[in-house]
Amino acid sequence: MTDAQNTTAPQASEATNDAAMKVKRKKMLTLVAAIVIIAAILYALWVFVFHNTVNTDNAYVGADTAEITSMVSGQVEEVRVSDTQQVKKGDILAVIDKSDAQIALAQAEAQLAKAKRQYTQSSANSSSLTSQILVSKDDINSANAQVIQAQVLLEKAQDEYKRRTQLAASGAISKEELATSLSSLNNAQASLNVAKAGLAQAESKQKAAQSNLDANEALIKGTSQNSTPDVLVAQAQVDQAKLDLSRTVIRAPLDGVITNRTIQVGQRVAPGSVLMMVVPLNQIYVNANFKESQLKKVRVGQAATLTSDLYGDSVEYHGKVIGFSGGTGAAFALIPAQNATGNWIKVVQRLPVRIQLDPKELQEHPLRVGLSMDATIDLKSK
């Protein structure tokens, strides 16, 4: 009996050990299977969810701010806005003293009136010069008649002198009478010369009047009082003066918020002086600086989801990729990195990606330039 009990005991012990091993093996297999399943789930999540997005918290709010500058010089008469104030397009921001601009406009208008009067005078001169030409023709005719008359008198005096010379040779007349005849001949010759000079002078006057008429006609030919060059120049000066006068009132070019106001009442400003800035809050975008290794599948037009440190994860913004910067931040730095050195260490570069935000969401939760953002781009979107 004892031998049977001794034989049965080892068998029972072996059966118990086998059962324990089977249970342990089963637990191990179950654990391995669980690990494999969890790994498969994580891989699936990574492939189908996380692998289709890229994320960065190196993103900041930006906007194309409008610099408000003075287009004219003068003393600031009035400033109607202050920093942080909301303005609409066309609102008056500041007023510059108008005195100088008004004087310049008055001078330009006077020059315009003078130019128009000169055109009227030139037109009247044409009529006067035409009359002078007609009068000079009469003078020429009169001078020509005087030349003919003097020519006849000269020929008569020559004949008289010739005849008396012959008579004086025979002693028929006295020497005194011959001298008188010679004097008459000389007077007739002088009268002819005077008549010819008068004719030449009349012809010169006619030529001068014709030249003046031609020059005057060249100034006004094919033009009217409002289209002559002098009037056009004067009119342009008037328009410029009016424009400068209107620029003494500085208006907002777009809707936004005033920031960086630097002017005060009484300050004198010069053209190009920056007076303040207007930030268009409804046209804000985000510059997300992604690593270069993240941009392989990023394309323009892909959807993006963003959160702001200002509102936290409870407020999401939606937008889309609208473009990539032309270079990395290091490339456009004031002192670019010099990699041509012996101790060079490769640093992963970041490229700014611009994301446009939904205007409706911006109205509900306004942002400010420079705020930090967290950006995620959906690579599956188109």
Side-chain angles (χ1 to χ4, degrees), residues 125-190:
N125 286 341
S126 293
S127 300
S128 176
L129 291 171
T130 301
S131 300
Q132 289 181 14
I133 291 174
L134 294 176
V135 171
S136 64
K137 288 182 179 179
D138 295 336
D139 292 342
I140 290 174
N141 293 332
S142 176
N144 194 33
Q146 291 178 2
V147 169
I148 294 173
Q149 183 181 6
Q151 184 70 39
V152 171
L153 294 176
L154 176 62
E155 290 176 355
K156 182 179 179 180
Q158 287 175 341
D159 291 340
E160 287 289 334
Y161 179 72
K162 183 176 181 182
R163 184 171 59 83
R164 291 182 184 280
T165 301
Q166 293 175 354
L167 292 174
S170 62
I173 61 172
S174 63
K175 293 182 178 179
E176 182 179 357
E177 188 175 355
L178 179 62
T180 301
S181 177
L182 178 61
S183 176
S184 298
L185 176 62
N186 292 333
N187 289 335
Q189 183 65 50

Side-chain angles (χ1 to χ4, degrees), residues 183-211:
S183 176
S184 298
L185 176 62
N186 292 333
N187 289 335
Q189 183 65 50
S191 297
L192 177 62
N193 293 336
V194 170
K196 287 182 177 180
L199 176 62
Q201 184 178 10
E203 291 176 344
S204 298
K205 286 183 178 180
Q206 184 186 39
K207 290 180 180 179
Q210 185 65 50
S211 298

Side-chain angles (χ1 to χ4, degrees), residues 307-316:
T307 58
S308 169
D309 292 352
L310 177 63
Y311 299 107
D313 296 338
S314 60
V315 177
E316 283 191 349

